[in-house]
Amino acid sequence: KHQTDPSLPRSARLLEELAMVSATSPKQAKLDELRLEPIKAFSGTVTLPGSKSLSNRALLLAALSEGTTTVENLLESDDIARMIESLVKLGVKIDQSKRFTENRIVIEGNGGPFDVSSQGECELQLGNAGTAMRPLAAVVCACTGKFVLDGTPRMRERPIQDLIDALRQLGSSVECTQNPPHGGCPPVKVEASGIEGGSCLLSGKISSQYLSALLMTAPLAKSGTVTVEIKDELVSKPYVDMTVGLMRKFGVAVEEEELSSDKNKPRPRYKVAGGQKYKSPGTYYVEGDASGASYFLAGGAITGGPITVMGCGSESVQGDVKFAKCVEQMGATVEWKPNSITVSRRTDGSQPLRGIDVDCGEIPDAAMTLSVLALCAQDGKPTAIRNVYNWRVKETERMKAICTELGKLGASVEEGRDYCVIQPLAKILPDVKIDTYDDHRMAMVFSLVACAGVPVVIKDPGCTAKTFPTYFKELEALVSH
């Protein structure tokens, strides 16, 4: 049990307690609620934790590689823990002695697919980690043995049927569980004896992770070429570009052809020769998390900043850095450097925030942050966040969650199937208790309400442990109340 200094203000005591608990063990972070006082100023520099998407991809490719890989700046969070636990269960040797002190681990590569045929049934528990469930569900099809992949009750509502259908087209004996009305979801069962080359058509409308999973699996085919073609439209393509870039860094050749003439509706086809070997790059440094950067950039835009995020910038491989362009479109000043982004704004009335209408299909995670920024538009114009249907199949049903919580703050919101339109709010209701739905991003997005000059109460703040356990501690270091 942790003791905090009783002389501290209540908000500071809660933040201190949350920071201590999160640092000890994300699973124990069960603080019921956190009241954030109105934020008067928000400025300084924050160094971002490693990207979740890059961390889990790098762990998996390092485990499949020939040679030993040192992964630096690894994110420490629940999702990463689920991937590491699974790799250990698959027989991968991992030196974790510097994991919690220096965010570094060393992975002895398996030199190819895993063989668990001597284990009986290998069960992998993946929590609510989509970046672990989807890639592993595909990769184990190229392995040998019997596998079951399962997770939390919410994971059992997150669709995976499109990926299963594509794996079956490649000859895999794999099935998921029908869970009406959500469709085919985990648990996933696989009887694997490897895969051969072949072709599959895949829907890209719900999640780009299905395509990333197939691509990372493709080089493990025993022979032939694996061709994966999107049959409709691919959402969140920058995440697939990130996957392909990482595969190339680990020594695998990937061919890409764009079949769509409309750059806003990509429909790519990929070819990957089977029988290729992933090869360790020696050391891989995980870039700072661009999705996590969005909260600080938005805070700087609302309050005037300046705020600098270190760890991703103009040379970033992550699509979510494009959130900074939305902030710029709304009227803030954005300065780009190779490894940092700075946001500032004059708050004397000469540089107002404006409502915008934006297609966020490439940045659905960072787009959530726009929902609170929209309340602070000063030109009376609404903000439309479009092409974000996959909010509905994320850690929670994010479209309903966001619209519900904005309504509690007093906002007028129009909800569509894949969009929402948010009216600015001259006076945000104070001390609203924000439900976070066990969704890390809901907690971080709605913390920004305090930047608008009103207190806000975040329920279950410890849910940020999924990707950013120290978020509230980092936030408090940059603000004055």
Side-chain angles (χ1 to χ4, degrees), residues 64-251:
L64 292 165
S65 291
E66 292 179 333
T68 299
T69 306
T70 300
V71 182
E72 304 264 11
N73 197 38
L74 183 73
L75 174 65
E76 181 48 46
S77 77
D78 288 353
D79 282 22
I80 306 315
R82 299 294 83 75
M83 177 65 88
I84 290 173
E85 287 166 9
S86 297
L87 294 175
V88 169
K89 202 159 189 181
L90 291 166
V92 181
K93 292 178 181 171
I94 304 179
D95 177 356
Q96 302 185 52
S97 59
K98 297 286 195 313
R99 175 178 163 194
F100 299 106
T101 53
E102 297 177 24
N103 298 104
R104 177 194 307 136
I105 65 170
V106 181
I107 299 177
E108 199 175 304
N110 194 59
F114 312 114
D115 185 344
V116 300
S117 52
S118 61
Q119 284 187 31
E121 191 172 77
C122 178
E123 184 170 337
L124 304 179
Q125 284 292 335
L126 299 167
N128 198 12
T131 57
M133 173 63 77
R134 280 72 177 263
L136 283 168
V139 163
V140 298
C141 290
C143 299
T144 306
K146 294 182 178 180
F147 302 86
V148 175
L149 294 80
D150 204 355
T152 61
R154 174 58 184 168
M155 179 56 86
R156 289 183 167 199
E157 297 174 351
R158 297 179 69 182
I160 200 168
Q161 186 73 59
D162 289 337
L163 175 58
I164 301 306
D165 290 346
L167 289 164
R168 282 182 180 156
Q169 291 172 55
L170 294 172
S172 295
S173 177
V174 54
E175 61 184 46
C176 57
T177 306
Q178 293 307 311
N179 182 16
H182 307 286
C185 301
V188 174
K189 294 183 179 180
V190 184
E191 289 193 26
S193 55
I195 60 169
E196 304 290 343
S199 298
C200 64
L201 287 171
L202 172 72
S203 173
K205 282 188 168 180
I206 290 179
S207 174
S208 66
Q209 287 181 5
Y210 307 150
L211 177 54
S212 284
L214 289 165
L215 290 174
M216 288 189 278
T217 304
L220 308 177
K222 297 172 189 173
S223 61
T225 296
V226 175
T227 302
V228 186
E229 182 178 318
I230 295 297
K231 65 183 181 182
D232 37 37
E233 176 189 341
L234 179 62
V235 297
S236 309
K237 185 172 186 287
Y239 282 93
V240 180
D241 297 338
M242 181 198 304
T243 301
V244 170
L246 197 61
M247 290 170 67
R248 288 171 176 156
K249 191 174 271 288
F250 277 82

